[in-house]
Amino acid sequence: MARILIAEDEAALREFISRALTHIGHETVAVEDGAEALAVLQQDKQFDLLLTDIVMPVMDGIALALKVTKDFPDLKVLMMTGYAAERQRAYNLEMLIHDVIAKPFSLDEICEKVEEALTSDRSLMKPVTTADEGLRSKD
């Protein structure tokens, strides 16, 4: 199955997700913050999915997603959060990430979202750009 990197600062939830995904056949590596996730990715680029919390110490999920989608464009990203405001921040990244799952979630919900992310077609997503389309001439 897939190799999944989980970045979640809450130990109990990190363990719950890791066990759930391992139980359905995936290989997981779980870390407690975005900086640690980035270090793992730089050493081992063979992941199919990054499942990351948005609110974490050291490096949050938004910063991690921006860095990862730039440096590892084939890696799919699924985010999770328990904060409505953070969920909205993540939707501003809709062309970079697969989705945002709201906490709390059930075992079935997280497994379903992970499967959706793994089978999604990243080629349908627009590439990242730093161009400001609002300043371009419409000619």
Side-chain angles (χ1 to χ4, degrees):
M1 301 278 320
R3 287 193 76 221
I4 302 170
L5 177 58
I6 302 164
E8 167 60 58
D9 60 319
E10 191 178 320
L13 184 56
R14 187 171 61 242
E15 181 66 22
F16 168 79
I17 295 167
S18 184
R19 283 182 182 211
L21 297 177
T22 301
H23 181 72
I24 62 171
H26 298 298
E27 180 184 340
T28 64
V29 173
V31 297
E32 62 185 51
D33 63 54
E36 193 176 346
L38 194 55
V40 168
L41 281 168
Q42 289 169 339
Q43 292 176 353
D44 180 359
K45 298 168 181 58
Q46 302 303 311
F47 286 93
D48 301 298
L49 177 69
L50 168 63
L51 175 59
T52 182
D53 190 10
I54 294 176
V55 178
M56 295 183 292
V58 185
M59 175 187 280
D60 73 6
I62 301 290
L64 177 61
L66 290 169
K67 179 75 173 152
V68 165
T69 54
K70 179 179 169 264
D71 295 349
F72 309 95
D74 294 331
L75 182 63
K76 295 175 182 180
V77 179
L78 176 62
M79 303 185 94
M80 50 191 165
T81 189
Y83 302 96
E86 297 303 321
R87 187 177 175 93
Q88 185 57 43
R89 274 183 63 213
Y91 276 120
N92 295 333
L93 303 175
E94 62 190 5
M95 301 320 270
L96 304 178
I97 66 172
H98 172 73
D99 202 355
V100 179
I101 185 169
K103 294 178 189 175
F105 44 74
S106 70
L107 182 131
D108 289 340
E109 289 170 329
I110 190 65
C111 291
E112 182 179 313
K113 283 294 186 185
V114 164
E115 293 305 321
E116 283 177 15
L118 288 169
T119 59
S120 68
D121 187 352
R122 277 195 61 91
S123 68
L124 299 177
M125 300 171 86
K126 293 180 183 173
V128 181
T129 180
T130 57
D132 185 344
E133 298 296 328
L135 298 177
R136 291 193 178 174
S137 170
K138 302 290 182 191
D139 297 5

